[in-house]
Amino acid sequence: MDPAPLRALTLRHLQCFSVLVQEGHFGRAAQRLSITQPALSNAIKQMERLLGAPLLERTTHRLALTPLGAEVLERTDFVVNTVDQALRDIRNVVVRGRAHVRIGVIPSAGRQVAAAVAAFEARQPGAVSVEWADAPSTELVERLRGGQLDVAVAAITEAPEGLACTDLFRDPLVLLVHRDHPLAAARSASWKALGSERLALFESGSMPALGGPARAQFGEGGPQPLRVRYAETLHALARSRLALGLMPRLYTVALHDPELRVVPLRQPKIERRVVLLRRPEPLRSAAARALAEFLGERLTALAARRRVAAPAA
C-alpha cells in the first residue's frame, strides 16, 4: 500500500476512532469528543477512505471491528495514549518541574515496588511524579502495549512478545494451611503429601498459566481446586479448613495471621518469573529511564539478599 495517503491522517482522526470503539456508540462518542455526530461519522469515513478498507461493521444495534480495524486500533490507541501522556509530561514539567512516570504493578509485588520508588525519590527528590496502576499481569501487559504505562512489574511464565523484559526474581508457589493441619509444622511439603486435599487458588493473574504444572501434581481422582479472585477469600478458606491455599510466596510476605502457616512446596518447585517490563523504545525522559533502571537494580538486589539469608530447606 502506498503510504502517501496515510500522511493525511491526523491525530483527530485517530482520537475519533479510538473513542468511538471505546464507547461503541456514535452519539456517546461524539458527546465525549465535543463534536456533532455527523462530524464524527465523516471523520471515520475519511479514515477508512485513506486506508482503503472498512474499519467497522455497522449494524442497527452495535459496532464491530473488522480484522483490519482491530489491527489499526492497537496502533491508534498507542499513538493517542502516547500523545496524551506527552501533553501531561509537558504540563508536569511546566507546572511542577518534574517528569511524570506511569508504573504498573501486580498487587503481590506492591510492597517491594513502593519501597524501591520511595528509595529513588529519597535520592532524587522531586525528580518524578509517579502514577500507579495495580492490576493482574495480563492487564498490565496490554496497558503497556497500548501506551498507557511506561514500566510494569509483572509475573509471567514466558516473555511477552514486543516488550523488553528484565528478570527480577523467582516467586515459588507455597501452601497456606491452618495451624492445626498436619503439614503446618513441616519445613516443606511435597505435592504427593497433599493427597486428596482440596486446594484453593487464584482464578486470574499468573496462576492460570501455572495451573497446568500445578494440576499435574494433584493426582487422579482428587477434588477440583476452588477458584477465587481475592487473597482474603483464599485466606478465609484456609483459616476455616475448607481448603489448603495455593498461592505465590509474595502474597504471604505481609501475612500476619496466627491461625495460618506458610509451607514451601517442593518436588517439584513451581515458580513464576517476576519481571520488569517496558516497551523497547527509550522512555520519554531521563528521569523515567533512571527510575526504571533503579527499580531493576533495587528489586534484583533485594531478591539476592533474601536468597542468601534464607535457611536451607
Side-chain angles (χ1 to χ4, degrees), residues 33 52 57 92 96 112 130 163 166 201 254 266-267 280 297:
L33 290 161
E57 295 176 353
N92 271 279
R96 303 176 184 173
Q112 293 81 359
V130 177
L163 295 177
T166 302
L201 59 150
R266 315 288 187 194
Q267 302 173 0
E297 294 169 0

Side-chain angles (χ1 to χ4, degrees), residues 156-172:
I156 63 170
T157 52
E158 296 181 4
E161 185 178 353
L163 295 177
C165 178
T166 302
D167 277 275
L168 300 175
F169 53 88
R170 299 282 175 146
D171 188 23

Side-chain angles (χ1 to χ4, degrees), residues 8-310:
L9 281 174
T10 66
L11 177 60
R12 194 57 171 168
H13 284 120
L14 303 183
Q15 289 171 327
C16 287
F17 180 50
S18 180
V19 171
L20 177 59
V21 174
Q22 290 174 32
E23 295 293 340
H25 185 274
F26 273 91
R28 290 193 300 269
Q31 185 175 15
R32 182 171 154 189
L33 290 161
S34 300
I35 60 177
T36 64
Q37 190 167 326
L40 174 59
S41 181
N42 286 335
I44 300 301
K45 289 177 182 177
Q46 289 172 7
M47 191 171 175
E48 290 177 323
R49 186 165 59 251
L50 291 169
L51 289 169
L55 298 171
L56 297 165
E57 295 176 353
R58 302 162 176 84
T59 70
T60 55
H61 299 291
R62 68 185 186 93
L63 294 172
L65 287 167
T66 64
L68 173 66
E71 291 290 332
V72 172
L73 178 66
E74 182 177 343
R75 292 153 181 81
T76 295
D77 283 346
F78 175 70
V79 171
V80 171
N81 289 330
T82 299
V83 171
D84 286 345
Q85 183 56 37
L87 295 175
R88 294 175 68 181
D89 280 345
I90 293 170
R91 183 191 64 195
N92 271 279
V93 171
V94 171
V95 176
R96 303 176 184 173
R98 52 185 173 174
H100 185 76
V101 183
R102 301 161 301 169
I103 295 178
V105 60
I106 49 174
S108 57
R111 182 178 182 179
Q112 293 81 359
V113 175
V117 171
F120 177 84
E121 292 185 341
R123 291 188 180 188
Q124 301 189 35
V128 295
S129 170
V130 177
E131 178 182 332
W132 293 84
D134 58 337
S137 297
T138 50
E139 183 178 333
L140 295 178
V141 168
E142 292 308 309
R143 294 179 71 173
L144 268 173
R145 286 177 172 152
Q148 297 166 291
L149 293 174
D150 297 307
V151 296
V153 174
I156 63 170
T157 52
E158 296 181 4
E161 185 178 353
L163 295 177
C165 178
T166 302
D167 277 275
L168 300 175
F169 53 88
R170 299 282 175 146
D171 188 23
L173 296 186
V174 297
L175 205 61
L176 199 63
V177 304
H178 189 273
R179 66 181 182 182
D180 293 335
H181 192 279
L183 291 174
R187 289 170 59 89
S188 65
S190 70
W191 288 90
K192 288 184 179 180
L194 302 184
S196 59
E197 296 271 12
R198 182 178 291 278
L199 299 179
L201 59 150
F202 295 125
E203 66 179 5
S204 61
S206 58
M207 284 304 297
L210 293 172
R215 277 196 303 272
Q217 314 306 320
F218 296 160
E220 296 290 337
Q224 286 295 311
L226 303 174
R227 306 277 176 174
V228 301
R229 182 173 296 181
Y230 301 109
E232 291 83 355
T233 307
L234 194 148
H235 295 167
L237 291 170
R239 193 182 302 114
S240 302
R241 309 182 210 191
L242 296 174
L244 306 185
L246 181 65
M247 64 198 322
R249 184 173 59 189
L250 269 183
Y251 279 92
T252 68
V253 171
L255 178 66
H256 301 290
D257 189 325
E259 296 294 308
L260 298 175
R261 299 290 184 269
V262 178
V263 183
L265 274 167
R266 315 288 187 194
Q267 302 173 0
K269 186 178 184 180
I270 299 176
E271 302 174 310
R272 61 180 186 167
R273 293 168 60 190
V274 179
V275 298
L276 182 70
L277 298 173
R278 60 176 180 80
R279 292 185 65 88
E281 60 266 15
L283 291 173
R284 301 178 319 278
S285 69
R289 292 192 293 272
L291 175 56
E293 291 172 5
F294 184 85
L295 280 176
E297 294 169 0
R298 183 85 172 193
L299 295 174
T300 303
L302 177 62
R305 289 198 297 272
R306 285 181 174 167
R307 284 195 299 271
V308 170

